Amino acid sequence: MNDAMIYPIVKFGNPVLEKPAEPVTAFDDGLKKLVDDMFESMYEAHGVGLAAPQIGISRRIAVIDITFKEDPSAKLVLINPEIIHSEGRHIQTEGCLSIPEFRENVARAMKVTVRAQDVEGRFFEKTGEELLARALQHETDHLNGKLYISRISALKRDLMKRKIRKLMKAGEW
Ligand SMILES: [Zn+2]
């Protein structure tokens, strides 16, 4: 992918991150190119998941690779994903490329099944546990305009927002 376009990652504070993304209806070459660019942008940012709003594109597209290039078959493209089943509870530290340098414990379902479309528009279901389940939930949340900080305590969230505002004022965000 030598002609990949690397998109800069949009950070917390940009309204595109907090509004529901638009469904994808055209499964064309433009979509395939965008998905390839999203993988490259995600790897460039050292992430294991990326949703289109994080590159400023408000469309329901997410890419995941929890192996970070180790296993090409682990590359997952989710178009118009919906979580159709979830079970259990799992608390683990979570971060987000759009909220760099911060991490918090977030409670998520232990196991989820997502229904989504691939780049050709074909529907499929994918079930994941633990880290994959967490990524599926985190990225689907992004497409619904939801960030993980909305799933932590108000106290921790306010503290985090205060620190971010400071960084913004200092021009470091
Ligand atoms: Zn994120």
Side-chain angles (χ1 to χ4, degrees), residues 66 83 85-92 94 106-114 126-138 151:
I66 59 164
I83 290 173
H85 181 77
S86 57
E87 63 184 76
R89 191 164 180 269
H90 190 237
I91 298 173
Q92 194 153 57
E94 195 168 314
V106 182
R108 298 271 189 192
M110 168 65 105
K111 184 177 176 182
V112 298
T113 300
V114 74
K126 177 82 182 174
T127 298
E129 290 185 58
E130 296 192 38
L131 180 56
L132 179 56
R134 187 162 293 273
L136 293 170
Q137 292 168 87
H138 182 111
R151 297 186 180 278

Side-chain angles (χ1 to χ4, degrees), residues 103-120:
R103 298 184 74 77
E104 279 296 340
N105 282 333
V106 182
R108 298 271 189 192
M110 168 65 105
K111 184 177 176 182
V112 298
T113 300
V114 74
R115 185 171 189 262
Q117 284 166 279
D118 65 14
V119 284
E120 309 285 352

Side-chain angles (χ1 to χ4, degrees), residues 12-145:
F12 174 76
N14 187 316
V16 72
L17 292 174
E18 293 178 87
K19 70 170 186 181
E22 295 293 323
V24 172
T25 53
F27 294 83
D28 53 13
D29 288 346
L31 178 66
K32 291 182 184 81
K33 165 83 171 113
L34 178 58
V35 163
D36 289 343
D37 290 344
M38 282 178 65
F39 272 110
E40 294 310 308
S41 302
M42 176 184 82
Y43 292 135
E44 186 75 15
H46 305 285
V48 294
L50 183 73
Q54 293 183 277
I55 53 167
I57 297 173
S58 193
R59 294 169 71 195
R60 304 185 78 81
I61 308 164
V63 297
I64 292 173
D65 177 3
I66 59 164
T67 74
F68 198 82
K69 301 186 197 176
E70 282 284 301
D71 177 6
S73 72
K75 285 174 80 175
L76 191 58
V77 178
L78 303 171
I79 313 236
N80 302 325
E82 267 182 87
I83 290 173
I84 56 169
H85 181 77
S86 57
E87 63 184 76
R89 191 164 180 269
H90 190 237
I91 298 173
Q92 194 153 57
T93 317
E94 195 168 314
C96 178
L97 291 177
S98 295
I99 315 173
E101 311 294 329
F102 290 89
R103 298 184 74 77
E104 279 296 340
N105 282 333
V106 182
R108 298 271 189 192
M110 168 65 105
K111 184 177 176 182
V112 298
T113 300
V114 74
R115 185 171 189 262
Q117 284 166 279
D118 65 14
V119 284
E120 309 285 352
R122 292 174 296 227
F123 282 94
F124 67 96
E125 288 181 13
K126 177 82 182 174
T127 298
E129 290 185 58
E130 296 192 38
L131 180 56
L132 179 56
R134 187 162 293 273
L136 293 170
Q137 292 168 87
H138 182 111
E139 301 311 329
T140 305
D141 267 2
H142 268 304
L143 303 181
N144 294 326

